Amino acid sequence: MLANKRILLIIGGGIAAFKTPDLIRRLRERGAHVTPVMTRAAEQFVTPLTIAAVAGERVHDQLFDLTTEAEMGHIQLSRSADLIVVAPATADLMARMATGRADDLASTLLLATDTPVLIAPAMNVRMWTHPATQRNIETLRGDGIALVGPNDGDMACGEYGPGRMSEPLEIVAAIERHFTAGPLAGKRIVVTSGPTHEPIDPVRYIANRSSGAQGTAIARALAALGAQVVFVTGPASVAPPEGVEVVKVETAREMKDAVEAALPADAAIFAAAVADWRVRSASASKIKKDKGQLPVMEFDENPDILATVSQMKEGRPRLVVGFAAETDDVVAHATAKRARKGCDWIVANDVRPETGIMGGRENAVVLITGAGAEDWPRMGKDAVAERLARKVAEALG
Ligand code: C5P
């Protein structure tokens, strides 16, 4: 799939640069040509000699390089690639991309190109969650730039959280997906999944039993058909799929913000089991057990993400899909829900305990569309996801 693909790899200046020789090796193993570009800062973390040796090509690192200008010019360098990959994409490099700077070779190439760009962010968790970085990500997404990662995990700086660069094989998977001409290639799809946690105090929360299995399978199936998937997930018990952009959230309100930040999209699929209520005034400190005194909780209603997105006046995804877990009169209730929420399709399932569907591996689905109800036979959650993904591909044409 990557045979003879030309990849311009821009290596940013972060500690995750140490993973790039492995990334280059994996890409070359698959037949890709890798032209490396390094920022000045990147050269502090990994030497140009190492990179040139594994890439089998010289490293480009200077904007004013007479030999390069005479041979091909830096503009040509970016245009002759099939894909530009930025790994690691540091906070600074992303900020410069978002503001259109062209003050070194890497940023100039990124500004001068009309080649698709995939970035693999890597930075300290605080830098990643900083509103400035989040603003830049939104801008970059709006510019059509695809992201892979970052992952959660231990960081070289000793902290833990999101900001760790995706592993080389995950980046390779995202690159391969880019070149997969599946029926959903070029389509951007937001998927919500998992439960939400609504805090009572810093250590206690209200939750539900959703595992995230169905949402994860759907995201994986859409990505397999070539879609660029933004996977917004609450604290699920199954691991997110590889090669999709993962946005981890805790509460319903965070999920809504993340979904809105991920738009525009061609389709949105709301498989999350969002908590209907949150505790009105969650305590900032742990509520103490006072003899004989029982806490009394009041609730507020959470925003309905599905209804909000379905009823957007501008920028509504072309296809909005909701889920309905029903215990009786499945078709009637789900049809009413479709109308109430304003979504295009409802994937309804019968969750009476005797069906074993909740928390199980199988699902029995009725798909409610504008054309009526479609009964699907009982099948594995992966098969449901694949069938739904194919239907989404047909609908988006
Ligand atoms: O109203 P109900 O919770 O039954 O609707 C289920 C559908 O609505 C699911 O697709 C779920 O993801 C979505 N939903 C939502 N935000 C909420 C509640 C439900 O997006 N606050």
Side-chain angles (χ1 to χ4, degrees):
M1 190 186 302
L2 293 185
N4 295 320
K5 293 287 186 246
R6 283 158 311 167
I7 293 171
L8 186 76
L9 175 67
I10 296 181
I11 306 173
I15 181 65
F18 82 86
K19 295 182 187 171
T20 53
D22 189 28
L23 173 63
I24 295 170
R25 192 171 60 85
R26 308 259 183 198
L27 290 169
R28 292 194 67 203
E29 270 169 11
R30 288 162 177 76
H33 299 291
V34 180
T35 304
V37 173
M38 297 179 78
T39 64
R40 280 262 170 275
E43 294 178 356
Q44 302 294 318
F45 292 93
V46 52
T47 72
L49 193 61
T50 307
I51 296 296
V54 282
E57 275 199 44
R58 63 165 287 209
V59 167
H60 299 267
D61 56 1
Q62 292 187 36
L63 189 50
F64 303 107
D65 176 332
L66 289 180
T67 326
T68 309
E69 286 309 316
E71 282 169 3
M72 62 188 308
H74 60 257
I75 306 270
Q76 196 50 34
L77 187 62
S78 70
R79 302 227 178 125
S80 59
D82 296 306
L83 177 69
I84 299 183
V85 177
V86 185
T90 59
D92 176 64
L93 192 46
M94 285 168 55
R96 288 192 288 136
M97 288 171 76
T99 47
R101 298 293 293 267
D103 49 9
D104 67 356
L105 179 62
S107 53
T108 303
L109 291 174
L110 286 160
L111 193 62
T113 192
D114 50 7
T115 302
V117 178
L118 170 75
I119 67 174
M123 67 198 70
N124 166 273
V125 52
R126 298 254 180 282
M127 292 169 84
W128 172 255
T129 51
H130 195 285
T133 303
Q134 292 300 314
R135 266 198 310 277
N136 290 334
I137 291 164
E138 223 175 302
T139 305
L140 294 173
R141 279 203 194 109
D143 291 345
I145 286 171
L147 276 83
V148 50
N151 296 341
D152 277 9
D154 289 319
M155 304 202 157
C157 53
E159 289 186 71
Y160 182 92
R164 215 177 121 101
M165 189 170 84
S166 295
E167 294 304 321
L169 282 179
E170 291 177 276
I171 301 175
V172 169
I175 294 172
E176 284 180 333
R177 241 189 324 281
H178 171 82
F179 291 112
T180 312
L184 286 172
K187 298 284 189 284
R188 183 177 165 83
I189 304 184
V190 180
V191 178
T192 69
S193 182
T196 64
H197 284 182
E198 308 296 332
I200 296 170
D201 67 19
V203 295
R204 305 180 178 98
Y205 57 83
I206 294 173
N208 61 64
R209 294 188 197 282
S210 166
S211 63
Q214 188 64 83
T216 302
I218 290 168
R220 187 178 291 118
L222 292 166
L225 295 187
Q228 185 199 336
V229 177
V230 184
F231 184 65
V232 180
T233 176
S237 51
V238 301
E242 282 191 359
V244 305
E245 186 185 335
V246 180
V247 184
K248 291 194 173 174
V249 297
E250 294 260 331
T251 67
R253 283 185 295 177
E254 286 169 9
M255 186 172 273
K256 178 169 179 280
D257 289 347
V259 166
E260 285 174 341
L263 297 178
D266 298 284
I269 299 182
F270 295 99
V274 184
D276 290 311
W277 311 285
R278 63 175 179 274
V279 178
R280 177 160 297 162
S281 23
S283 171
S285 53
K286 187 180 170 200
I287 302 170
K288 291 273 176 274
K289 190 164 73 175
D290 249 343
K291 272 200 202 82
Q293 285 260 10
L294 295 178
V296 176
M297 268 179 251
E298 285 191 295
F299 292 90
D300 277 324
E301 198 166 324
N302 270 330
D304 189 319
I305 310 167
L306 170 63
T308 306
V309 172
S310 295
Q311 291 163 31
M312 280 171 69
K313 296 271 176 290
E314 264 174 52
R316 180 193 190 275
R318 252 199 301 150
L319 180 69
V320 180
V321 183
F323 279 68
E326 306 287 351
T327 51
D328 56 295
D329 274 342
V330 176
V331 173
H333 283 137
T335 305
K337 184 168 291 181
R338 175 178 174 271
R340 200 165 58 241
K341 303 260 188 179
C343 58
D344 302 296
W345 299 350
I346 285 274
V347 180
N349 40 42
D350 183 346
V351 292
R352 280 171 304 151
E354 59 267 33
T355 63
I357 282 173
M358 205 69 170
R361 286 170 164 271
E362 292 197 328
N363 210 346
V365 156
V366 184
L367 181 70
I368 314 281
T369 69
E374 223 180 78
D375 237 320
W376 291 7
R378 194 176 169 118
M379 55 181 123
K381 287 184 176 171
D382 287 347
V384 169
E386 281 158 27
R387 185 157 168 175
L388 185 66
R390 281 198 302 276
K391 273 210 90 83
V392 169
E394 273 168 36
L396 294 181

